[in-house]
Amino acid sequence: MPYDTIEVSPQSVAVGAEIHGVNLAAELSNAQFSEIRQAFLEFGVIFFRDQDLSPEQHLAFARRFGAINVNRFFTPVKDHPEIAEVLKEADQKKNIGAEWHTDHSYDQIPALGSALYGKEIPPLGGDTMFASMGAAFETLSDGLKDTLRSLRAVHSSRHVFGPARYEAAAGTSEVTSRYRNPELATQDAVHPVVIHHPDTGREILYVNSTFTVRFEGWTDEESAPLLNFLFTHGARPEFACRFRWRKGSLALWDNRATWHMALNDYHGHRRYMHRITIEGVALN
């Protein structure tokens, strides 16, 4: 669609666009916000450069899309419990979000989106990959599409944020300095494997390799071959784009429509981000 109040530069055929001509620190007009929201729905993830945002301005922009979801596992920014720290110190080896995933799929009502703002960026590396799960679903065979439409999948936070991960990392800061509340990782959620996007109606493949553990009514062993096929299929490069961060960049992605993965290729450098998660609606 044409855009009148913003400039939109697609980043790949399947997913992603940079938005120019916008100052997110200012109060956006209804017309400009409407076009930003349309680009968000059209491209799955949108990127803004050279933004100078206070935590309050970051929150104000996110709230235009919906209520804020306070993440129960990430360490919050001081004095701003609605903003989560996404941090890798220079001496740490593991990063956050190193595998393909979509945020909060383990919740009964998954997140609408996430707004990640770059505060401190390594000189090279630390890019984020995004992939379109609408494009991934549309390229499957008709027979597999029909099979997947009949299935539901179990998503869990237990193995990622629960006590076992803390025990495995005992004596290191890889987990304990960045995550909290492992006792709250008790909830499993069941969602359709193919959802209809709440805003666009597009059919979306809604499983991911980080949080999806099995199909409902199937064992882990029975689920693994098909899930592994879908995880490999969704990661095909033609469905993806790669975003190179700079200080002051902001990425806003649709958790209903995309996967993302943070590359861990900047050892010896600090990477510090602020992430806000936006509440969604039940999926069907």
Side-chain angles (χ1 to χ4, degrees):
M1 65 163 287
Y3 293 90
D4 297 322
T5 67
I6 60 176
E7 180 183 340
V8 179
S9 300
Q11 299 299 289
S12 76
V13 172
V15 68
E18 280 200 13
I19 308 297
H20 306 282
V22 175
N23 176 12
L24 298 180
E27 185 173 350
L28 302 174
S29 70
N30 288 337
Q32 193 171 49
F33 175 74
S34 178
E35 291 198 343
I36 290 171
R37 183 177 181 276
Q38 180 58 44
F40 168 73
L41 295 175
E42 181 177 354
F43 294 98
V45 54
I46 52 177
F47 310 111
F48 303 85
R49 297 289 194 184
D50 304 318
Q51 302 294 318
D52 185 12
L53 298 178
S54 67
E56 291 79 11
Q57 291 164 335
H58 188 186
L59 282 163
F61 174 63
R63 287 192 179 106
R64 294 292 295 266
F65 290 86
I68 306 303
N69 179 303
V70 179
N71 187 286
R72 57 193 182 275
F73 301 124
F74 281 45
T75 299
V77 171
K78 184 179 179 182
D79 299 325
H80 294 282
E82 295 167 302
I83 305 177
E85 291 186 339
V86 178
L87 171 65
K88 181 190 174 189
E89 297 286 6
D91 62 345
Q92 292 178 323
K93 300 302 181 184
K94 296 181 180 180
N95 69 335
I96 292 174
E99 305 294 334
W100 284 112
H101 65 287
T102 186
D103 296 334
H104 289 240
S105 72
Y106 51 79
D107 282 339
Q108 301 294 333
I109 299 181
L112 177 152
S114 301
L116 187 65
Y117 179 57
K119 300 283 288 181
E120 187 173 339
I121 307 300
L124 191 64
D127 299 353
T128 303
M129 301 290 297
F130 295 89
S132 168
M133 291 303 101
F137 180 73
E138 289 162 3
T139 56
L140 295 171
S141 68
D142 289 342
L144 184 51
K145 287 178 184 175
D146 287 341
T147 296
L148 296 176
R149 289 185 184 111
S150 70
L151 299 176
R152 293 165 62 83
V154 179
H155 300 245
S156 180
S157 64
R158 299 171 191 265
H159 58 292
V160 178
F161 300 117
R165 185 167 185 191
Y166 279 72
E167 293 166 4
T172 76
S173 66
E174 296 288 348
V175 171
T176 55
S177 68
R178 295 185 285 192
Y179 301 113
R180 59 178 187 159
N181 302 327
E183 71 281 359
L184 298 182
T186 59
Q187 180 192 73
D188 296 333
V190 179
H191 304 297
V193 170
V194 181
I195 65 168
H196 290 85
H197 192 284
D199 294 302
T200 68
R202 187 182 190 185
E203 286 189 301
I204 307 291
L205 180 64
Y206 195 75
V207 295
N208 68 88
S209 60
T210 298
F211 298 120
T212 308
V213 295
R214 64 183 178 278
F215 297 112
E216 185 179 42
W218 296 29
T219 67
D220 291 358
E221 292 76 15
E222 291 167 340
S223 301
L226 181 51
L227 282 177
N228 288 336
F229 169 81
L230 296 174
F231 299 155
T232 300
H233 175 75
R236 283 167 47 178
E238 61 264 40
F239 306 144
C241 75
R242 178 170 177 159
F243 183 62
R244 183 172 182 181
W245 289 93
R246 300 196 299 259
K247 182 179 179 180
S249 298
L250 185 140
L252 174 69
W253 61 86
D254 189 336
N255 280 303
R256 291 99 35 110
T258 63
W259 288 351
H260 60 283
M261 174 177 65
L263 301 183
N264 189 24
D265 56 355
Y266 53 99
H267 299 312
H269 297 281
R270 191 175 194 259
R271 182 178 183 268
Y272 180 54
M273 325 287 275
H274 283 184
R275 194 190 84 180
I276 298 173
T277 306
I278 303 162
E279 291 277 17
V281 298
L283 301 176
N284 57 59

